[in-house]
Amino acid sequence: MLPAEMFVLALCVLQPQKGKVIVVVFALASALSAFLLALGMGTLTESAESLSQKLMGSQGPQVLAMLRDSGPVSMVFFSVFPDSPRSAIALFALSGVPPESIGTMVFIGKLMLYTALLLLIHHLPSRVGRWRGVGPFWVRWLQRRASRFVAYCRRIRRRARCLNQGT
């Protein structure tokens, strides 16, 4: 199984004119997935409160209140990471955060991540030529990786054009 970021990269390389639509659709899919998980986990809220009472004693309600207060905002931060924040979604849903706010925060975080990927794909080819032969080792290492990525993008687009012209 491949993460959604790989599909966003591949689709944005192959269909650069539809990049914005691709980004929004994948962010919506992540938000819907988070909403459904939070909705399912929300049914277990009462058992989570009793479990937190057993595990943490008197500090249990304080921890759950802290998660309810700062949970949705921190969910944006968790959602920016490429890996899906399933455990964070479950934790916030069990603490009583509404599924709608969890889905909204995941949408915002994934939208930020996918937009950054789209901007990287769009603007990286024009920047690579200016970097050549400049800077310390880590900059040259990054330049080589960026140059290879740009070359792969060009090759994929060229092959896609050849296939479209051939059919």
Side-chain angles (χ1 to χ4, degrees), residues 33-49 68 86 88-100 102:
S33 172
F35 173 76
L36 292 175
L37 177 63
L39 198 60
M41 296 299 288
T43 60
L44 304 173
T45 303
E46 290 178 20
S47 61
E49 288 178 3
R68 277 185 225 116
R86 300 280 182 229
I89 292 168
L91 179 67
F92 292 134
L94 289 174
S95 69
V97 177
E100 297 83 18
I102 291 174

Side-chain angles (χ1 to χ4, degrees), residues 52-73:
S52 70
Q53 186 68 27
K54 289 178 187 175
L55 293 176
M56 293 183 265
S58 63
Q59 294 177 345
Q62 292 173 332
V63 172
L64 291 177
M66 183 181 71
L67 283 173
R68 277 185 225 116
D69 294 340
S70 64
V73 176

Side-chain angles (χ1 to χ4, degrees), residues 71-123:
V73 176
S74 62
M75 189 51 122
V76 172
F77 174 73
F78 290 134
S79 298
V80 170
F81 292 111
D83 191 19
S84 185
R86 300 280 182 229
S87 58
I89 292 168
L91 179 67
F92 292 134
L94 289 174
S95 69
V97 177
E100 297 83 18
S101 62
I102 291 174
T104 303
M105 295 304 134
V106 168
F107 175 73
I108 292 169
K110 290 297 182 181
L111 192 63
M112 290 169 38
L113 172 67
Y114 297 150
T115 302
L117 288 174
L118 180 66
L119 291 174
L120 178 75
I121 290 169
H122 182 69
H123 292 292

